[in-house]
Amino acid sequence: MEYDTMELDEISISRAIVSSQMEKLLEYMEMDVAVVGGGPSGLTAAALLGDRGFRVGLIEKKLSIGGGMWGGGMMLPRIVVQEPAKRLLERFDITHTPYRDGYYVASSVEAVSKLTAAACDAGVEFFNLFSVEDVMIRGDGRLSGLVVNWTPVEMAGLHVDPLTMGCRIAVDATGHDAVLARLVERKGGKVKVRGEGFMWADRAESEILTHTREIFPGLVICGMAANAVAGEHRMGPVFGGMLLSGEHAATLVSSALRL
Ligand code: 48F
């Protein structure tokens, strides 16, 4: 059965995509907060900061948002969240069932989808397939922007110069790689990335909020990146700490911006 396509015009479709996305890109050349990494900690931070009225751009190098959350534990699409983060499951309306005292299980697909939807509802603008390859630090010694390129350019090893996006503050939510922290360290900023330790979920989860902090003027670190910087242990498919770390990063960023 056919339906009325109202004379679908390919050129108009292309114009709509190019003009609206270029407008967004121009708008986000100066943003309040650039969250780098769309895993659970970055999504949580972005959603909560968007809710507080900041102009938040989320930059994700992959095609899909969600980072290490989609895969659950070894591709079994379930995540475990502990009691202290239960209120965030509720906040984002993520269905969860108790497993035993203090442990809740949720679908990783639902968790990523609901966090992403919350960020969209909070006005966060997503730039996927953008890779952050450098940061801007001027004479005042403060991070003031990101140097970005298309991920396919990076993958193909093409010699194409990047563009820049300015921000008042950036959140490194790039997971195990702690990309922004390593960039600042490599270029002589006073940051030391100690690298993550062995799997030790209890210890890694209990320390993550201490490690979630502004590690350099204009750079807040959260999620697994925070543990990697601190030389802290890793924790596997338990995600309470990621949600709480994203929330804590949002609190730190909003108080820094409101000063
Ligand atoms: O790894 P990821 O999910 O970070 P997270 O929020 O959560 C960690 C957990 O998934 C898990 C764990 C939990 O217990 O240990 O691993 O700390 O998401 C990081 C995101 O950052 C993106 C990457 O593709 C991923 O989606 N990313 C990494 N490097 C860049 C980047 C880059 N240079 N530019 C933009 N995005």
Side-chain angles (χ1 to χ4, degrees):
M1 198 168 73
E2 286 186 6
Y3 71 103
D4 181 4
T5 61
M6 300 181 307
E7 292 186 40
L8 207 51
D9 160 16
E10 296 83 354
I11 304 295
S12 295
I13 296 169
S14 302
R15 277 189 198 284
I17 289 171
V18 172
S19 65
S20 63
Q21 189 56 22
M22 288 306 134
E23 207 173 285
K24 283 290 171 201
L25 196 48
L26 287 171
E27 201 182 313
Y28 280 77
M29 290 272 160
E30 285 173 279
M31 55 187 138
D32 293 321
V33 193
V35 176
V36 185
S41 65
L43 283 171
T44 305
L48 297 176
L49 285 162
D51 255 356
R52 289 175 200 176
F54 295 109
R55 184 188 295 190
V56 184
L58 191 147
I59 293 144
E60 166 54 55
K61 80 171 178 186
K62 297 209 169 133
L63 177 58
S64 62
I65 304 299
M69 203 183 222
W70 283 119
M74 214 180 85
M75 296 200 300
L76 305 175
R78 296 271 163 236
I79 56 166
V80 170
V81 172
Q82 322 81 300
E83 187 69 39
K86 179 173 183 266
R87 62 185 171 75
L88 286 168
L89 292 174
E90 285 160 0
R91 160 76 177 72
F92 293 110
D93 195 28
I94 299 167
T95 312
H96 49 285
T97 48
Y99 175 67
R100 51 167 250 215
D101 266 5
Y103 284 57
Y104 297 88
V105 180
S107 147
S108 60
V109 172
E110 180 182 343
V112 171
S113 307
K114 295 247 172 106
L115 287 170
T116 308
C120 292
D121 289 347
V124 174
E125 194 58 41
F126 286 83
F127 297 93
N128 60 332
L129 290 172
F130 271 38
S131 273
V132 174
E133 59 168 59
D134 206 348
V135 292
M136 289 157 60
I137 298 169
R138 305 271 181 80
D140 64 357
R142 187 180 170 80
L143 190 151
S144 60
L146 306 173
V147 181
V148 296
N149 214 327
W150 303 113
T151 302
V153 164
E154 186 190 87
M155 288 169 76
L158 301 177
H159 189 167
V160 177
D161 268 333
L163 293 176
T164 50
M165 299 174 93
C167 58
R168 295 170 66 199
I169 199 159
V171 177
D172 184 346
T174 57
H176 301 258
D177 295 340
V179 175
L180 271 64
R182 284 189 198 278
L183 280 166
V184 175
E185 178 186 42
R186 196 177 330 130
K187 297 209 167 173
K190 282 203 171 63
V191 167
K192 174 93 188 97
V193 181
R194 297 180 59 203
E196 71 188 31
F198 297 116
M199 178 84 91
W200 184 358
D202 184 42
R203 155 93 207 203
E205 285 280 316
S206 64
E207 295 301 321
I208 196 162
L209 292 186
T210 317
H211 302 321
T212 303
R213 60 190 182 87
E214 188 168 7
I215 53 165
F216 185 83
L219 178 60
V220 168
I221 193 132
C222 72
M224 202 51 222
N227 275 11
V229 168
E232 188 55 79
H233 295 270
R234 56 181 301 204
M235 75 285 280
V238 58
F239 282 82
M242 297 299 123
L243 305 178
L244 291 166
S245 173
E247 178 188 48
H248 189 45
T251 305
L252 295 175
V253 167
S254 39
S255 31
L257 292 183
R258 293 213 157 104
L259 279 180

